Amino acid sequence: MNSEVEAAGVFTVKRIRTSRKGALGFILDGFLIVLSFLMLSPFLWIVSTSLRLPKDSFSLPPAIFPTAFNFSNYAQVFQQVPFTAFIANSLKVSLIIVVGHIFISSMAAFAFSRISFPGRNMIFIVFLAGLMIPGQVTIIPQFIFISKLHLVDTHWALILPALINPLGIFLIRQMMMTISSTYDEAAYMDGASRMWVFLKVTLPMVFPAVAVTSVMTFISNWNDFFRPLIFLNTFEKMTLPVGMTVLNGTFGSGNLSAILAGVALSLVVPLLFYIFGQKYLVDGITAGGLKM
């Protein structure tokens, strides 16, 4: 009899704990849903306003959803600016930077993590100190250097300075530090060269870090407004963030719905890159903080 009472008591306690966990999980899920909606609300407002009539853009109180879907705003974007050329310029600059980043950052990370040379750690610390210097501080000497190379008003003025990515080197190097050196030693014993070890052994193992830094590099250069504004003068060579300012019109008199239609279109490409690389985001960032 006592055992039955004890069993019933244990079952009741477990049921209460389960119900508490269920209630807590329900509250947490509700909170996350509300938080997600708040974070997505600016994007929802961009898409909603891009489909409104121009006269409804400043209506009070503002409506969340458009009363009439006006897709002509998207056509107006291509009519007012060479939007396709801006997309092509941004893709050209961003993709070349990403490809260069993959090779340069991964090779630098391999040197800092796998090759012993005098002052390696000190050089790495000094190298990382560059992360604390804002890009606006170095833009004047950078412009002078680019002008002496006669690269002003070319896309190479944007590409060459962006090929060195200290943050990418740091993240890839940190993931390489977590890989056992026995893999390298086994390859060297089989007669492999250092470049073969880098390409065939180490680089595939740090692909999550390379992928996440590539996504970060692409998005940062795709959204870069400051450097193209400084280095580019020809309208046809401008990248998307600078070229989109034409939609704003003189003294900000442009069609807000058309402006946000252009913004919505400009989000498609980085969104696709982010969707592709998001599964590596946690692995890459977590690996970056495992070992120093």
Side-chain angles (χ1 to χ4, degrees):
M1 185 65 179
N2 292 333
S3 61
E4 294 178 356
V5 172
E6 291 177 358
V10 171
F11 176 77
T12 303
V13 171
K14 289 183 177 180
R15 187 173 181 180
I16 292 173
R17 289 178 178 176
T18 304
S19 62
R20 287 180 177 176
K21 290 181 180 179
L24 182 61
F26 180 78
I27 294 173
L28 182 60
D29 291 341
F31 173 74
L32 292 176
I33 290 173
V34 173
L35 186 62
S36 300
F37 179 78
L38 292 176
M39 295 180 66
L40 289 174
S41 57
F43 300 98
L44 295 176
W45 185 82
I46 289 173
V47 176
S48 176
T49 305
S50 68
L51 295 172
R52 291 193 181 108
L53 294 172
K55 64 182 181 64
D56 297 332
S57 299
F58 299 97
S59 60
L60 292 175
I64 299 177
F65 300 102
T67 55
F69 293 90
N70 185 27
F71 291 97
S72 63
N73 294 323
Y74 288 86
Q76 188 176 347
V77 173
F78 292 90
Q79 293 170 1
Q80 291 186 355
V81 297
F83 193 80
T84 306
F86 294 158
I87 290 284
N89 293 337
S90 293
L91 275 175
K92 171 188 173 183
V93 171
S94 301
L95 289 178
I96 292 177
I97 292 174
V98 167
V99 172
H101 152 75
I102 291 174
F103 287 99
I104 294 175
S105 297
S106 57
M107 285 191 290
F110 183 81
F112 281 122
S113 63
R114 285 297 197 261
I115 302 175
S116 297
F117 54 89
R120 182 183 68 172
N121 294 332
M122 182 60 65
I123 295 174
F124 184 67
I125 293 174
V126 173
F127 185 74
L128 286 183
L131 290 172
M132 297 184 292
I133 303 175
Q136 290 79 1
V137 175
T138 60
I139 194 64
I140 294 177
Q142 190 177 123
F143 183 85
I144 295 173
F145 181 72
I146 292 295
S147 64
K148 289 184 179 297
L149 294 177
H150 304 288
L151 294 177
V152 175
D153 199 26
T154 66
H155 291 154
W156 289 108
L158 307 177
I159 295 171
L160 293 178
L163 291 177
I164 307 300
N165 186 355
L167 180 60
I169 295 173
F170 170 74
L171 292 176
I172 298 173
R173 181 254 189 189
Q174 295 304 94
M175 193 167 189
M176 286 184 179
M177 294 287 287
T178 64
I179 300 174
S180 175
S181 60
T182 56
Y183 294 101
D184 301 4
E185 295 170 358
Y188 289 135
M189 290 180 64
D190 290 337
S193 63
R194 180 169 289 168
M195 182 59 69
W196 194 96
V197 172
F198 165 71
L199 293 175
K200 299 295 184 180
V201 179
T202 308
L203 189 60
M205 290 177 141
V206 297
F207 180 76
V210 173
V212 69
T213 53
S214 298
V215 173
M216 293 166 57
T217 300
F218 179 87
I219 293 177
S220 64
N221 286 279
W222 177 273
N223 294 328
D224 188 15
F225 178 83
F226 179 68
R227 292 189 307 121
L229 182 65
I230 299 296
F231 289 111
L232 299 180
N233 301 321
T234 306
F235 183 65
E236 290 75 14
K237 295 180 181 179
M238 290 183 178
T239 55
L240 192 59
V242 179
M244 287 281 292
T245 57
V246 178
L247 291 173
N248 197 35
T250 306
F251 301 111
S253 60
N255 180 2
L256 180 61
S257 297
I259 294 173
L260 293 183
V263 172
L265 290 172
S266 67
L267 294 174
V268 174
V269 175
L271 181 63
L272 292 176
F273 269 81
Y274 179 78
I275 292 174
F276 169 75
Q278 66 173 339
K279 62 181 179 180
Y280 305 107
L281 185 60
V282 175
D283 293 339
I285 294 179
T286 303
L290 291 178
K291 187 176 180 181
M292 179 69 180

